[in-house]
Amino acid sequence: MKKFALALSVLLCVWGVNSLYASTASAEEKQREDYTFGEIEKTLIDYLDENGYNLEIGTPEFNDFVTEQMNTDKDEKLANREDYQLICAYFAEYLYRLSVFESDSTDTENDAEDLPVDEDFNMDEFENTTLGEMKEEIEEEEQKNEEENSQIFTTMSTNTLNLSNARAYAKKYYANYNPNYPRYSNDCTNFVSQILQAGGRRQVVKQTTASLVSDNKYWFIRSLPSYKWSRSASWTVVPDLYSHLTRTQGAYSSTSKSNIIKNAKSGDVIQFKKSGADRYTHSMWIYEKTSTDLKLAGHTNNYWNRSFNAVTGYKTYRIVKM
């Protein structure tokens, strides 16, 4: 009887510890989910001011800072903060909204030297939105896209890209931007779309309109008079390109680089998600695959044979099999 009582006491203690741990973990998660974008933005602005940055949200200089930080963790002091994952969640949503904002601007110059000035862009609309609310919205969007794509999915054979033509385009325009296309602050997906088209993937065009086409069954860009453009969000926005391509192409995601390398091939599209972020924020194109690495082409930053193994700072990866 004493042994039974002792065993019961031990069991209750273990249960109590596990319950406490679960409760603590839940509280930590809830705390993260309860931060608003306005609160995170204020923390970020305070950090920038305290460290001598002269940056205003919405300007090209701020956009460059966000993109560089997400791609390379350039400011190591910022990257080592305990709240960096919160800031990355803000950055991810910022880049997504910026891409949509710029894609919806019909006056984008196609001169690579003249980036649009986006002082009118800000995150004020989401000031009181919590990370939890935004995460739920993103998950609902992704679920909706998955359900729609599963209903209409038609397998398109892989290896249909002309790799020679796609590689030639990537190498020619990775640094010298093609003046026949508009250029964006976060230009990565725009460039991947150009490479796919150069490799022979046909645009899916809706009747040209000055308004951004958000329906991801379309994938196109068309010039209009006076430096105006008709285009689909899927041409320039990271998750929208993925949503369009996976209507006909298979996909694979992993947090393991070795698994990504194993499942990828030359010509595939690859996308990246930061630790702490709820959205994928970067697209590149697989220029070449070796037995142990992938060579990537992309804009922002500009490469045509970037080592996948040398890319740091991201947690999750996904490929679209082209």
Side-chain angles (χ1 to χ4, degrees), residues 29-189:
E29 180 66 17
K30 182 177 181 180
Q31 185 179 17
R32 186 263 184 193
E33 301 297 292
D34 283 345
Y35 274 97
T36 67
F37 282 90
E39 290 171 333
I40 301 171
E41 183 174 273
K42 183 180 184 306
T43 298
L44 174 64
I45 291 173
D46 289 344
Y47 173 85
L48 295 175
D49 290 343
E50 291 168 2
N51 288 272
Y53 287 99
N54 184 24
L55 296 174
E56 183 178 347
I57 292 175
T59 61
E61 293 78 17
F62 182 81
N63 300 341
D64 289 344
F65 171 82
V66 173
T67 301
E68 183 74 17
Q69 190 64 28
M70 290 291 277
N71 288 343
T72 68
D73 290 327
K74 184 176 181 179
D75 185 333
E76 294 182 2
K77 182 179 178 181
L78 178 60
N80 288 327
R81 285 175 60 105
E82 291 185 358
D83 58 359
Y84 187 53
Q85 289 197 6
L86 295 175
I87 293 172
C88 285
Y90 173 90
F91 282 165
E93 196 62 28
Y94 180 92
L95 289 177
Y96 170 73
R97 301 290 168 179
L98 177 64
S99 294
V100 174
F101 176 85
E102 289 188 345
S103 297
D104 202 20
S105 171
T106 60
D107 298 321
T108 303
E109 295 285 347
N110 62 356
D111 185 345
E113 298 300 321
D114 296 321
L115 286 172
V117 178
D118 295 322
E119 287 91 342
D120 292 335
F121 174 77
N122 57 60
M123 293 282 284
D124 290 353
E125 181 182 352
F126 308 100
E127 180 180 4
N128 296 318
T129 301
T130 66
L131 294 185
E133 291 169 340
M134 186 60 72
K135 182 178 181 180
E136 183 177 342
E137 178 181 321
I138 293 168
E139 289 175 347
E140 288 175 356
E141 291 172 0
E142 292 176 345
Q143 181 64 30
K144 180 181 178 181
N145 287 331
E146 288 179 6
E147 291 174 354
E148 290 177 352
N149 287 355
S150 66
Q151 293 172 4
I152 55 92
F153 183 84
T154 303
T155 303
M156 182 179 291
S157 60
T158 58
N159 297 314
T160 55
L161 286 181
N162 184 315
L163 276 177
S164 179
N165 290 349
R167 284 170 173 161
Y169 188 93
K171 189 172 182 179
K172 181 176 181 179
Y173 290 112
Y174 80 96
N176 300 310
Y177 286 39
N178 189 340
N180 294 319
Y181 292 93
R183 178 177 173 182
Y184 300 93
S185 299
N186 191 26
D187 200 65
C188 59
T189 306

Side-chain angles (χ1 to χ4, degrees), residues 153 155-156 158 242 245-246 248-252 319-322:
F153 183 84
T155 303
M156 182 179 291
T158 58
Y242 180 84
L245 293 179
T246 52
T248 57
Q249 311 294 144
Y252 175 79
I319 54 174
V320 182
K321 300 176 181 294
M322 304 302 298

Side-chain angles (χ1 to χ4, degrees), residues 208-227:
T208 54
T209 172
S211 300
L212 179 69
V213 176
S214 58
D215 188 338
N216 288 329
K217 72 181 178 183
Y218 300 103
W219 176 72
F220 73 97
I221 190 165
R222 287 286 190 270
S223 61
L224 298 174
S226 303
Y227 297 114

Side-chain angles (χ1 to χ4, degrees), residues 242 250-273 280 282 284-296 306-311 314-322:
Y242 180 84
Y252 175 79
S253 63
S254 179
T255 58
S256 165
K257 282 189 171 183
S258 61
N259 286 343
I260 290 292
I261 293 171
K262 178 181 178 181
N263 285 275
K265 68 178 186 309
S266 300
D268 288 350
V269 173
I270 183 167
Q271 295 188 332
F272 303 79
K273 182 161 69 172
Y280 283 84
H282 192 42
M284 296 187 80
W285 183 72
I286 301 176
Y287 184 89
E288 185 177 10
K289 176 181 177 176
T290 70
S291 60
T292 58
D293 200 2
L294 304 174
K295 302 298 182 180
L296 309 179
R306 169 74 161 166
S307 166
F308 175 52
N309 285 325
V311 176
Y314 289 98
K315 179 182 179 181
T316 310
Y317 318 90
R318 66 187 181 190
I319 54 174
V320 182
K321 300 176 181 294
M322 304 302 298

